[in-house]
Every structure is written in C-alpha cells, then in structure tokens.
Amino acid sequence: MHQSVQALQKLANSPLLSRIREQINIQDIVDSAIRIQQIASPTFAEERRAVYIQSLFERYPLRDVHTDEVYNVYGCWPGTDSTSPALLISAHTDTVFAADADLTIQRKDTQIYGPGLGDNSLGVAGLLFLLDVCQKHHIQPAADIWFVANSREEGLGDLGGIRAVWDHLKDRLGAAVVLEGMALGRIYHGGIAVRRWRITCRAPGGHSWLHFGQPSAIHGLVELGAQIVAIIPPVSPRTTYNIGLISGGQSVNSIATTAEFYLDMRSEDSKTLQALEQQVMDAIKRVSKTDLTFEIDVVGDRPSGYISPSHPLVQMAAAALDVISHPVFYESGSTDANVLLANGLPTVTIGISYGGHAHRPDEYIETTPLADGVWHVILLALTVADQMKYW
C-alpha cells in the first residue's frame, strides 16, 4: 500500500475529519448549487456566473483572486510551503443550455430537477463547500491549493477554459482533481481523444421543379451521412461517432446550395480515432463530384491522456471511496482532465452525487449521497495537498 493511501486512511479517522463529516449540511450544498444553477451560463457566455463566483471567492482568505479573459475564476488557498507543487481543484461553470432556457427547479422525493444542476452547478457547489471547510476549520495544507471555477468545458468550448488555466498555472501544479456533479463512484483517470468536424456541402442549387436532377447540398450531405452511419467502429478500444447538428437549405422548393452537419468522433486510442477520421474522409471522396463539394473545419480537438490505476492519485481516490463504503469504477472519458493529463499532470475527475438526464431539461441530482460525496472530496483534496511531495 502506498504511503499516500495510508495517510488518507489515517486522516479519514482523525478527529478533524470526523468533525467535518458531522457538520455537513446537505441543504446548504443544495441551496448553493441552485443559486449557481439559476444564473444562466451557456458556453462562451459564462461572465455572469463568473462574477457571482468571484464575489464568493473574495469572502475567503484566498490569494490572487481574479477572473481571466475567458471567465475562469481563480483563488489560491496558501499552504505552509508555497514552493512545493500546488494542487488544482476545478469545476466547470458552463452549461449546454441557452441563455433563455427555463431554469425552473422541481423536487420529487430525494431528486431535484433543473437544467444544468448536476452538470455542473453541483460540482461548483462542491468546490465552494471545500473552501468553507478550509476556512471554518483553519486548514493549513502542506501545499497551495488553487481553486478554479473554469469555463468552456462543454461542446464547442473545446476545453478552452481549462487550457487557459493550464497556461496560467502549469509551472506551479503537481496534481489536479476535477469535480463533476453526477459522477460519484467513478474515477476518470484517462481522457479519450475527441475530434469534432463541421462538414459543409456546397452545390449549384436551383428550383426544385425546373432544375430537378441538379446536385443538392442537402442530398449530398444526407448521402454522406448514410455512409458514415454505416461505419462500424471497434468495440475495443471503444470508439464512437455522432452527427449532432444538421442545417441547410433555403426553402422547401429550393435545391439547396449549402448544408452542414457537426460530427463528433471519439476513441480511447488516438490511432484508432485517426483511422475513423480516414474512413469519413474516404466517404467524402466517394460522394464528392465536380459540382458537389465538401469542406471540413475542425471545431473540436480534445487531447487524450492517461495515468495508471496504480498511480498514487488514483489509489487515493479509490481509498476515499472505500472509506464511504462505495464501489469504485475506473473510467476514461472526455472532461477537463483531458488537457491536464495530455500535458503530463496527474489528474482525476470525480463526482459528488448521482443524477441523470444530463444535458436535458429534466436533468436531476440525488440528494441522499451528498454528505458522503462531498466528504470524500474533502478527504481526497486535503490528503493530496499534503502527499504530492512524496510521489
């Protein structure tokens, strides 16, 4: 057993962590998450939520509280040795919902429904609760802890927020823990490679009756889509694709001059992803004609990265779940951790509770596991801050 795991187990049984666990108020966490959720925060338009979070950060004895040009909010909780590599704790502030989305909250038994509540207002609330604990209990970790509420995690944000965080803090960091609201029990220690293309088809177009038979951008795009959905990707390494958005044309009786769709491609292995991309390129060549052309714009490029389940950080995350008698699931996925892992920073993504229907208006969280969920985050964060120097 790694000494960091032993240190975590010792801290878990300490009077300090016992007091913290006894004083966790689930309602406070829920109320905090709802206050955050009620501030609309579409990707690229996170400013209002960032202003609110910075106002909260300013209530704590944090150093260097500020918001950058992409609406990442920073604050540093000083450790006893600020020359040691620091720990980053982050949670993304953006959502997939439009600025005018109905953010009404509904409750049913132990479930609370609201767009963006679990992904990721609850994650941000967990970040703030950890700050509360540090202040209330006068926590002095060995290393600095950077608290960052970052932007641009979702969709076409292409992890732009965490990329800016890395550029700003990379020389100071030794490890990172990324918080998500609905991933309790899952330890994401691998970041899958993701490529997103906007594929545009162009054609001469014309009148649906007078010019019937002339190439149509929509027809060409549909034909290409049919060839793409006929591709059977490998099960291992897991590889997927999805046509998520499609648009084009001028009217029902016009032969379309332009049409486009967005294609999301993912794989646990970068070479397998490249092979999938080549299959799509081959399909484009088959469908293309002199007067039916295609253009590809890369609108998303999420890098891959990985740390072994035997890494001390992963083992500590598993031990923290074991302390709350929770089963552990090791995962690879697409989160802010991708950027950090790709740059060689030991990083895990963990969750605070259960939930469901992510990215849907009826998204919900479960309140029952919240006390255990935030406690295991606190336990992991405080131990990592003390133990990184031994890795």
Side-chain angles (χ1 to χ4, degrees):
M1 181 185 298
H2 194 277
Q3 70 175 46
S4 295
V5 173
Q6 293 176 324
L8 182 142
Q9 293 171 338
K10 181 178 180 180
L11 182 60
N13 294 312
S14 69
L16 171 62
L17 265 290
S18 295
R19 287 196 302 273
I20 291 172
R21 193 165 190 173
E22 290 170 0
Q23 294 171 14
I24 292 174
N25 186 317
I26 290 177
Q27 193 58 51
D28 288 347
I29 300 165
V30 169
D31 290 346
S32 175
I34 291 173
R35 285 193 293 270
I36 294 163
Q37 182 264 351
Q38 288 293 295
I39 303 170
S41 191
T43 304
F44 302 116
E46 303 96 339
E47 183 175 10
R48 287 182 58 235
R49 192 171 284 189
V51 168
Y52 172 69
I53 293 168
Q54 178 167 337
S55 74
L56 298 181
F57 274 20
E58 289 170 347
R59 300 177 185 179
Y60 300 98
L62 292 163
R63 294 199 314 253
D64 197 17
V65 174
H66 69 283
T67 299
D68 68 16
E69 65 278 1
V70 296
Y71 311 131
N72 294 318
V73 186
Y74 301 79
C76 179
W77 188 271
T80 57
D81 181 7
S82 291
T83 65
S84 295
L87 171 65
L88 169 67
I89 305 284
S90 71
H92 73 86
T93 58
D94 61 322
T95 77
V96 300
F97 300 98
D100 59 353
D102 182 356
L103 300 178
T104 301
I105 292 292
Q106 297 183 7
R107 302 170 190 263
K108 182 179 180 182
D109 300 324
T110 61
Q111 297 175 342
I112 304 179
Y113 292 75
L117 183 58
D119 187 11
N120 189 36
S121 297
L122 184 57
V124 179
L127 184 84
L128 294 169
F129 190 79
L130 177 56
L131 263 176
D132 280 337
V133 166
C134 289
Q135 182 179 52
K136 184 174 183 179
H137 294 274
H138 309 289
I139 300 296
Q140 289 188 302
D144 291 349
I145 301 176
W146 278 92
F147 290 83
V148 178
N150 66 277
S151 63
R152 302 189 182 187
E153 191 271 350
E154 299 287 4
L156 297 180
D158 199 31
L159 308 185
I162 203 69
R163 292 179 199 268
V165 172
W166 173 253
D167 288 343
H168 180 51
L169 296 178
K170 58 186 175 183
D171 294 333
R172 312 181 210 183
L173 300 178
V177 176
V178 175
L179 302 182
E180 289 282 350
M182 302 189 294
L184 180 59
R186 302 186 181 279
I187 301 172
Y188 289 85
H189 62 99
I192 61 174
V194 181
R195 293 274 283 180
R196 288 170 174 156
W197 290 356
R198 180 177 64 236
I199 301 177
T200 304
C201 183
R202 302 188 188 279
H207 191 284
S208 63
W209 176 259
L210 296 177
H211 305 116
F212 178 73
Q214 289 190 178
S216 161
I218 288 179
H219 291 190
L221 202 67
V222 169
E223 184 179 356
L224 174 62
Q227 295 206 19
I228 291 173
V229 300
I231 296 171
I232 302 175
V235 174
S236 180
R238 189 179 179 207
T239 304
T240 67
Y241 58 78
N242 180 63
I243 298 173
L245 295 167
I246 187 167
S247 63
Q250 299 91 283
S251 70
V252 68
N253 60 333
S254 298
I255 298 172
T257 56
T258 62
E260 65 180 24
F261 62 51
Y262 287 79
L263 176 66
D264 175 283
M265 298 172 284
R266 306 179 179 221
S267 181
E268 294 175 330
D269 176 71
S270 57
K271 290 184 178 180
T272 305
L273 181 61
Q274 291 172 7
L276 174 61
E277 291 180 280
Q278 186 59 54
Q279 287 180 283
V280 175
M281 289 291 297
D282 292 343
I284 289 173
K285 290 177 182 177
R286 289 193 294 270
V287 176
S288 296
K289 301 179 178 64
T290 302
D291 47 5
L292 186 73
T293 60
F294 292 86
E295 300 168 7
I296 296 173
D297 295 303
V298 178
V299 295
D301 188 3
R302 298 187 173 206
S304 61
Y306 175 84
I307 55 173
S308 168
S310 64
H311 189 282
L313 179 59
V314 181
Q315 289 298 294
M316 292 168 71
L321 287 168
D322 185 62
V323 167
I324 61 171
S325 302
H326 201 291
V328 177
F329 300 93
Y330 298 100
E331 300 276 4
S332 294
S334 179
T335 71
D336 280 319
N338 283 44
V339 169
L340 306 175
L341 288 166
N343 282 287
L345 184 71
T347 306
V348 291
T349 299
I350 60 173
I352 291 173
S353 186
Y354 308 130
H357 301 172
H359 295 191
R360 286 172 30 173
D362 58 345
E363 181 177 316
Y364 70 90
I365 61 169
E366 293 278 359
T367 58
T368 303
L370 273 177
D372 281 347
V374 296
W375 189 80
H376 101 284
V377 169
I378 295 163
L379 174 61
L380 177 62
L382 297 186
T383 313
V384 172
D386 285 339
Q387 292 292 310
M388 283 185 297
K389 59 187 177 184
Y390 301 118
W391 297 350

